[in-house]
Amino acid sequence: MENSKVAVLLCGYGEVDEYDEFTEYNERSFRLLVSKSIKFPDFSIPFLSRRLERQQRKEWHAANHYHSPHNEIFERQRAGLEVELQKRFGEDVAVFKAFNFVPPFLPEDVLAEIRSLGYERLLVYPWLVVDSVFTSGLALEQINEALAPDPSWIKGMRYLPSFWEREDFQDRLVDLIDESVAPLLDRFAPIQIGVMLCLHGCPLESKGYETGVRESTALYYGLQEKLIHKYPLMTPGWMNHPVPGKWTTPDVDQAAENLITLGAKAIAFVPIGFVTENHETQLDIGYTIDKVKDKVECVHAPTLNDDPALLEMGAQWVAPLIEELRSV
């Protein structure tokens, strides 16, 4: 078939690599992300961005000049998914990455590249656990803005919603949780081990938008159902942002104290709301561990990152949509 090439646009947040990039990143975040739940006067955003930049610079400096691994891991995920897809479709399928907040990979820039390379079929693939206005919604908003001047070059498009409810994904998370708890079992009874499943925090009020709280809660209970018989002390731990408003509870600090109150002698912190390591999964969970490590033994599990099983599954999830696009 003539020009059956398909561009897969893998969408993520992206994180800053250098301190001096914080202000620009924050301004994009305030305009696109935070404004969905809190209304800021436009004139205040540059001031708030600089104020937050100073706080972040201090925080990352205190964390031994922290450097986020997110972008490097995301690139490995992109490349791994492309390898898996090209095993099936050959070089007619390529995977591109787009970041919500980090140039030169903003959706408008990447879509221009995709068009220049002659692609007319596009599969939008948010590489995010849960669909919400704060995750995949941001990518769709930016893609729509980029396409607005001339959408005519798109001859076919498909979209894959986030993958929290997929059985194979949940089963891989169950294995990750078992792997994380295993080192504790030679010193503690299973009933003494608290298992905190860390989820991306959600504001409870967001101008009527879907925030992801429903899907995240369902993911937690889906995993709880599979694991509660082995690990009775299990709780969600919401990783909320330090901005005004009502947020999901219990947050990770409160969840840890709850487990300790119920008799936990060890806690496994497992970030299930993310598949790419970032400052939240590393620094924020680390802050909670620092607060309780004198009371309980702590295990800090990684995200799945470029786990081969995850990348193989991720390719399988989009393959049917690619088949559709190739026949358009």
Side-chain angles (χ1 to χ4, degrees):
M1 179 180 295
E2 184 179 353
N3 194 6
S4 61
K5 298 196 305 180
V6 175
V8 177
L9 187 60
L10 197 71
C11 303
Y13 269 27
E15 287 197 339
V16 298
D17 288 322
E18 303 295 338
Y19 293 136
D20 58 6
E21 297 170 343
F22 271 128
T23 301
E24 184 179 359
Y25 182 98
N26 292 336
E27 186 162 341
R28 287 196 183 96
S29 176
F30 275 115
R31 294 186 187 281
L32 281 168
L33 184 63
V34 182
S35 64
K36 298 295 193 302
S37 58
I38 302 170
K39 181 63 177 175
F40 293 101
D42 193 66
F43 71 84
S44 70
I45 291 179
F47 166 76
L48 293 170
S49 299
R50 290 191 297 272
R51 182 177 177 181
L52 183 57
E53 183 269 340
R54 289 192 294 271
Q55 176 184 328
Q56 291 167 318
R57 183 187 293 264
K58 181 179 179 181
E59 176 187 1
W60 287 32
H61 180 81
N64 196 25
H65 297 277
Y66 177 74
H67 175 84
S68 171
H70 177 280
N71 296 355
E72 289 90 345
I73 293 170
F74 199 91
E75 169 57 24
R76 296 201 301 269
Q77 293 171 323
R78 182 211 64 78
L81 286 167
E82 184 172 78
V83 167
E84 291 295 329
L85 289 170
Q86 289 185 350
K87 288 178 184 176
R88 178 165 180 170
F89 298 106
E91 294 186 0
D92 278 355
V93 173
V95 181
F96 300 81
K97 66 185 176 191
F99 291 146
N100 296 128
F101 305 119
V102 179
F105 299 105
L106 298 174
E108 61 188 271
D109 302 317
V110 182
L111 286 169
E113 178 189 3
I114 289 171
R115 183 178 186 179
S116 73
L117 293 172
Y119 290 91
E120 298 175 342
R121 293 163 174 80
L122 180 68
L123 195 153
V124 178
Y125 193 176
W127 190 240
L128 300 157
V129 176
V130 167
D131 268 319
S132 79
V133 70
F134 303 110
T135 55
S136 52
L138 291 184
L140 296 176
E141 179 180 354
Q142 290 177 296
I143 291 169
N144 275 328
E145 183 177 348
L147 291 178
D150 179 18
S152 63
W153 63 276
I154 299 288
K155 305 305 181 188
M157 181 180 285
R158 293 293 185 274
Y159 171 78
L160 188 80
S162 300
F163 39 81
W164 63 270
E165 82 288 4
R166 292 183 179 267
E167 193 73 19
D168 50 358
F169 175 64
Q170 291 194 11
D171 287 344
R172 181 64 190 94
L173 287 179
V174 166
D175 290 342
L176 175 66
I177 294 163
D178 280 333
E179 293 161 10
S180 303
V181 172
L184 299 169
L185 291 172
D186 62 348
R187 298 185 301 287
F188 305 101
I191 199 172
Q192 295 177 302
I193 300 171
V195 177
M196 187 189 304
L197 304 186
C198 302
L199 298 152
H200 199 294
C202 302
L204 299 181
E205 298 173 358
S206 59
K207 304 177 183 178
Y209 288 113
E210 283 285 346
T211 66
V213 64
R214 176 174 56 86
E215 294 86 349
S216 295
T217 302
L219 172 60
Y220 168 76
Y221 282 112
L223 295 176
Q224 184 202 57
E225 184 177 356
K226 298 173 186 289
L227 289 163
I228 194 72
H229 303 98
K230 289 195 287 185
Y231 313 120
L233 289 188
M234 186 173 293
T235 181
W238 294 92
M239 300 171 63
N240 297 332
H241 292 304
V243 298
K246 296 180 179 178
W247 285 71
T248 38
T249 58
D251 65 20
V252 286
D253 288 353
Q254 184 63 59
E257 292 296 337
N258 291 349
L259 290 172
I260 293 168
T261 298
L262 294 175
K265 302 303 180 186
I267 299 177
F269 295 79
V270 187
I272 63 169
F274 308 79
V275 288
T276 312
E277 214 76 65
N278 61 81
H279 78 278
E280 292 179 72
T281 64
Q282 293 189 327
L283 294 184
D284 292 355
I285 291 177
Y287 298 148
T288 298
I289 289 175
D290 286 343
K291 294 172 185 175
V292 301
K293 64 184 180 182
D294 292 336
K295 303 177 184 178
V296 290
E297 185 169 338
C298 298
V299 169
H300 187 170
T303 64
L304 289 174
N305 294 321
D306 43 344
D307 175 72
L310 174 66
L311 298 181
E312 184 177 348
M313 286 186 288
Q316 291 172 353
W317 299 334
V318 291
L321 297 179
I322 293 173
E323 294 277 14
E324 289 182 23
L325 281 173
R326 283 163 59 86
S327 66
V328 171

